[in-house]
Amino acid sequence: HEAISAYYVLWQFRFLAAAADRMPLKINAVGPERQLDINSRELLESKGVMYLNPDAKMGARFVHGARFYLFHDREMERLRGTRWGLAHCRAGELLCADNYRGYLYMPISPTAAFLGGYQDGMLTLDDVRQCNKLSLKVAVNWLFARDLQACPL
């Protein structure tokens, strides 16, 4: 269940990171003493080392990476002990949204989803309809489905 929680947290952070500002951050500091060539920067980055560009700016990916660890730890603590039930659709298919805004719901295929705090079971057509309405409600940028015609609303 912890692995499912970790995947859920990763899915939520992916949404937040995609919406975040990608502009390099200006650091209130003096620029580096020497310029790093592209190979040196890539080597440092592969070792998990952050660096400043000559204009005292830092790539936003470094900050997002640090944010992920904080977000991950906080959310995993919040989800500690969460049991995830695997629910299969008897009929109809599920929509999948770009995020679920804290709802403990995660579609993993057109006909199955993990539900936090529930036991394994089956979703009726009405349950599938309610899940799809939730997906429509929380989607910010996109939804997807294997077959939109098969997704009851």
Side-chain angles (χ1 to χ4, degrees), residues 87-95 105 107 109-113 115 122-136 150-153:
H88 293 277
C89 301
R90 289 180 198 244
E93 293 188 1
L94 299 166
L95 291 169
Y105 171 70
S109 82
T111 59
L115 296 152
M122 300 297 289
L123 297 172
T124 66
L125 186 59
D126 191 52
D127 294 333
V128 173
R129 184 176 289 111
Q130 293 305 312
C131 289
N132 288 341
K133 285 180 180 179
L134 172 65
S135 293
L136 275 173
C151 300
L153 293 173

Side-chain angles (χ1 to χ4, degrees), residues 6-7 9 13 23-24 45-47 50 56-58 61-62 64 66 70 81 83 89-90 93 96-97 100 121 126 149:
Y7 185 78
V9 169
F13 188 79
M23 297 300 295
E45 201 166 329
S46 74
K47 306 265 185 216
M50 295 188 286
K57 289 184 179 178
M58 180 182 293
R61 66 190 171 281
F62 293 126
H64 294 311
L70 294 171
R83 305 291 293 175
C89 301
R90 289 180 198 244
E93 293 188 1
C96 185
Y100 283 95
D126 191 52
Q149 300 295 335

Side-chain angles (χ1 to χ4, degrees), residues 135-150:
S135 293
L136 275 173
K137 173 182 157 186
V138 299
V140 173
N141 296 311
W142 49 261
L143 286 163
F144 69 90
R146 174 172 56 185
D147 179 1
L148 289 173
Q149 300 295 335

Side-chain angles (χ1 to χ4, degrees), residues 49-60:
V49 176
M50 295 188 286
Y51 56 84
L52 288 178
N53 293 321
D55 58 0
K57 289 184 179 178
M58 180 182 293

